[in-house]
Amino acid sequence: MKVTIYDVAKKAGVSIATVSKVINNNTGNMRESTKQRVKKAMEELNYHPNIMASALMGKGTKTLGLLVPDISNPFFSEIAKVIEDRAHEKGYSVIMCSTDENEEKEKKNVELLQSKLVDGFIVGSTYRDKSIVQNLTKAGVPVVMLTQDDPVIDVSKVFVDDFKGGYEATIHHLQNGHHKIAIISEQRALASVKRTEGYLQALKTYGIQPRQEYMVRTRGTIANGIKAFGNLFQLPEPPTAIFACNDQLAIGVMLGAKEKGIKIPEQLSLIGFDDTILARATYPRLTTVAQPIAEMGKTVVDLLIEEIRLGCSKKERILYNPELIIRETTDKASKPDHIAKTE
């Protein structure tokens, strides 16, 4: 016979309302001993609440949907862990889908999460078809965007100042005497667009004309970082410094350089972006622009849960500052050119 909420209440010696409050993490001033007694009764009876029935009654499923472009990217796997842990603290679970920057998967994953009756969405993917996300908001579904400030989608957003990160990374190369600076950016990521704008502004600050052959756009994987490095070093004048718009691309550059016998940082200075575990696990250790992953992950969960509880979007833009972490992959140009910052 199926165990019911009535059985739990009887075993714990409390009312059904008390059991319901424990299930919904709405314990308020409830004594800790009472809460633990209910949880123990649920465990001993192997009782699992009917989440779908709860959703149909308008109580929600206590579940959040998380959409990321590529879970193999350490940045998204690290922030997903923070999101899951924070959601658990708040009494929610997380269902995650990786879209692989594929338009069909982007649409199907949203439909899948809707079928699971998630209470709200955290969108970390760059949607080419904006209507997919816009239709969620039109239907009153709470949505918060992560890592991107898409002006077309009018929801709350949690992101880092990508322009500043790109600017400071490039300025660091310039201050080290480099002026042949290449950038390898992610072709679909809105964040990379801003990082590229920062790169271009830094070059302008030093009076340097950008060179199209030094600007590579590709998918943000290690394999594509290797390929981009190979293409750059087939040029008549290869760069002396590279700014890679994520750590995976930077690691690809390091592997490509090692294969070609090019020493980092003696012959090539390199900066990544994100400050994932990859940056700290390589040799030499990667100079990179850090995103505050823990803070961003916690904030996006708190913001979404607040909007779920309020039943409306606050449409906040929460901007974090990046930090350039100087390690071992950057150095002064071997033959620095006499370039000066222009005011």
Side-chain angles (χ1 to χ4, degrees), residues 173-174 177-182 203 208-209 211 214 237 240-241 333 335-337 339:
H173 280 322
L174 289 161
H178 297 278
H179 72 110
K180 297 176 183 176
I181 305 170
L203 294 183
I208 297 174
Q209 192 68 26
R211 297 167 63 162
Y214 284 174
E237 285 188 87
T240 64
K335 293 181 180 180
D337 292 273
I339 55 176

Side-chain angles (χ1 to χ4, degrees), residues 249-302:
L249 288 169
I251 298 304
V253 169
M254 293 180 73
L255 293 173
K258 185 176 182 180
E259 188 177 309
K260 296 293 183 182
I262 295 173
K263 294 181 180 179
I264 295 176
E266 294 87 348
Q267 294 171 285
L268 175 67
S269 274
L270 175 65
I271 298 176
F273 204 110
D274 290 335
D275 195 29
T276 60
I277 191 172
L278 289 177
R280 301 181 293 277
T282 59
Y283 181 79
R285 294 181 306 153
L286 181 65
T287 295
T288 189
V289 180
Q291 298 200 61
I293 292 174
E295 291 87 346
M296 291 170 68
K298 291 175 182 177
T299 298
V300 77
V301 171
D302 292 350

Side-chain angles (χ1 to χ4, degrees), residues 205-260:
T205 300
Y206 273 75
I208 297 174
Q209 192 68 26
R211 297 167 63 162
Q212 285 300 317
E213 66 269 28
Y214 284 174
M215 299 177 67
V216 180
R217 295 177 71 244
T218 185
R219 285 197 65 186
T221 65
I222 292 175
N224 284 329
I226 295 172
K227 185 177 179 180
F229 168 85
N231 291 338
L232 287 168
F233 274 74
Q234 285 177 354
L235 295 172
E237 285 188 87
T240 64
I242 293 175
F243 167 42
C245 284
N246 75 19
D247 287 346
Q248 284 186 293
L249 288 169
I251 298 304
V253 169
M254 293 180 73
L255 293 173
K258 185 176 182 180
E259 188 177 309
K260 296 293 183 182

Side-chain angles (χ1 to χ4, degrees), residues 65-309:
L66 172 61
L67 294 157
V68 299
D70 182 7
I71 194 58
S72 68
N73 182 334
F75 171 79
F76 285 106
S77 58
E78 288 179 28
I79 204 164
K81 178 68 166 60
V82 175
I83 288 170
E84 185 177 42
D85 289 347
R86 186 63 165 185
H88 180 73
E89 287 177 17
K90 299 286 186 175
Y92 283 74
S93 58
V94 177
I95 302 175
M96 184 183 66
C97 295
S98 185
T99 65
D100 298 324
E101 297 180 331
N102 178 286
E103 288 185 59
E104 185 178 351
K105 285 190 72 174
E106 287 173 346
K107 183 178 180 181
K108 285 187 175 179
N109 284 341
V110 167
E111 292 173 349
L112 170 66
L113 293 173
Q114 283 183 297
S115 73
K116 300 294 183 182
L117 301 178
V118 297
D119 295 333
F121 285 77
I122 296 171
V123 179
S125 293
T126 303
Y127 273 70
R128 187 172 298 175
D129 183 358
K130 310 296 183 186
S131 67
I132 297 173
V133 180
Q134 288 170 329
N135 288 339
L136 287 174
T137 61
K138 287 177 183 177
V141 179
V143 176
V144 178
M145 299 201 79
L146 174 65
T147 75
Q148 53 190 312
D149 183 22
D150 192 331
V152 178
I153 302 175
D154 189 21
V155 297
S156 292
K157 295 154 189 172
V158 177
F159 59 103
V160 77
D161 190 337
D162 293 294
F163 176 91
K164 183 178 181 182
Y167 181 85
E168 291 187 352
T170 311
I171 285 292
H172 181 63
H173 280 322
L174 289 161
Q175 289 174 340
N176 277 337
H178 297 278
H179 72 110
K180 297 176 183 176
I181 305 170
I183 182 171
I184 307 172
S185 61
E186 297 177 78
Q187 60 189 8
R188 282 196 61 184
L190 289 174
S192 267
V193 173
K194 291 295 183 182
R195 293 169 195 176
T196 301
E197 289 175 0
Y199 158 84
L200 292 171
Q201 182 59 48
L203 294 183
K204 184 178 180 181
T205 300
Y206 273 75
I208 297 174
Q209 192 68 26
R211 297 167 63 162
Q212 285 300 317
E213 66 269 28
Y214 284 174
M215 299 177 67
V216 180
R217 295 177 71 244
T218 185
R219 285 197 65 186
T221 65
I222 292 175
N224 284 329
I226 295 172
K227 185 177 179 180
F229 168 85
N231 291 338
L232 287 168
F233 274 74
Q234 285 177 354
L235 295 172
E237 285 188 87
T240 64
I242 293 175
F243 167 42
C245 284
N246 75 19
D247 287 346
Q248 284 186 293
L249 288 169
I251 298 304
V253 169
M254 293 180 73
L255 293 173
K258 185 176 182 180
E259 188 177 309
K260 296 293 183 182
I262 295 173
K263 294 181 180 179
I264 295 176
E266 294 87 348
Q267 294 171 285
L268 175 67
S269 274
L270 175 65
I271 298 176
F273 204 110
D274 290 335
D275 195 29
T276 60
I277 191 172
L278 289 177
R280 301 181 293 277
T282 59
Y283 181 79
R285 294 181 306 153
L286 181 65
T287 295
T288 189
V289 180
Q291 298 200 61
I293 292 174
E295 291 87 346
M296 291 170 68
K298 291 175 182 177
T299 298
V300 77
V301 171
D302 292 350
L303 190 54
L304 181 58
I305 290 175
E306 185 179 9
E307 293 190 2
I308 290 168
R309 290 173 176 169

